[in-house]
Amino acid sequence: MTEIMKNKVVWLLTFLCILISGCKAASFSTHEKYLQFMGNPTTGYTWIFTVGNESIIEVEESVKYMGEENMVGAPSLFMYKISSLKPGKTALKFEYKRPWEKKAAEESRFYEVTVKANGKLVLKETKEEIKNTTEI
């Protein structure tokens, strides 16, 4: 193989490596998952969420009142949209409590959230709170 051919092959391989790595980075797209919990905000209780690493996921809350107008004690549906921001693993915790009270939550739910390289979300409910978060 001549020197010119070798240079062309090296150039082509370098170009392909740059192209492939650029395509992988561009293949990330935001994905969403949804969680829903029942609650009763008219009695002061609400779901409070905590995200371990806010650079990996974003959580948006909306609440739908299920009772008749001005009915105290009627339930509400708490809805959460979880969106991927970048690859990594993080913890997501929900606590059902009155925010001003110092006592433990009435109910707690814990999730390990994995955002894959392509942006897809995997939610895994766990029995205990997860402390560590990582970026991939």
Side-chain angles (χ1 to χ4, degrees), residues 1-2 8 16 19 24-25 32 35 37 55 57 64 77 83 87 91 99-100 103 112-114 118 133:
M1 194 183 283
T2 68
K8 286 183 179 182
L16 288 173
L19 182 64
K24 284 184 181 178
E32 300 165 351
L35 293 172
F37 308 119
S55 70
I57 60 169
K64 181 179 179 185
L77 181 63
S83 303
W100 64 87
K103 67 180 187 174
E112 178 182 70
V113 183
T114 303
N118 62 3
T133 60

Side-chain angles (χ1 to χ4, degrees), residues 15-77:
F15 176 75
L16 288 173
C17 287
I18 292 169
L19 182 64
I20 290 169
S21 65
C23 290
K24 284 184 181 178
S27 67
F28 183 92
S29 62
T30 299
H31 286 80
E32 300 165 351
K33 294 273 185 178
Y34 297 88
L35 293 172
Q36 298 182 3
F37 308 119
M38 292 302 293
N40 198 333
T42 63
T43 61
Y45 282 92
T46 188
W47 285 97
I48 300 168
F49 67 89
T50 307
V51 178
N53 186 335
E54 293 179 341
S55 70
I56 294 174
I57 60 169
E58 176 181 60
V59 180
E60 295 177 42
E61 176 188 63
S62 61
V63 181
K64 181 179 179 185
Y65 180 68
M66 306 296 282
E68 296 177 24
E69 190 173 333
N70 298 322
M71 183 178 170
V72 177
S76 293
L77 181 63

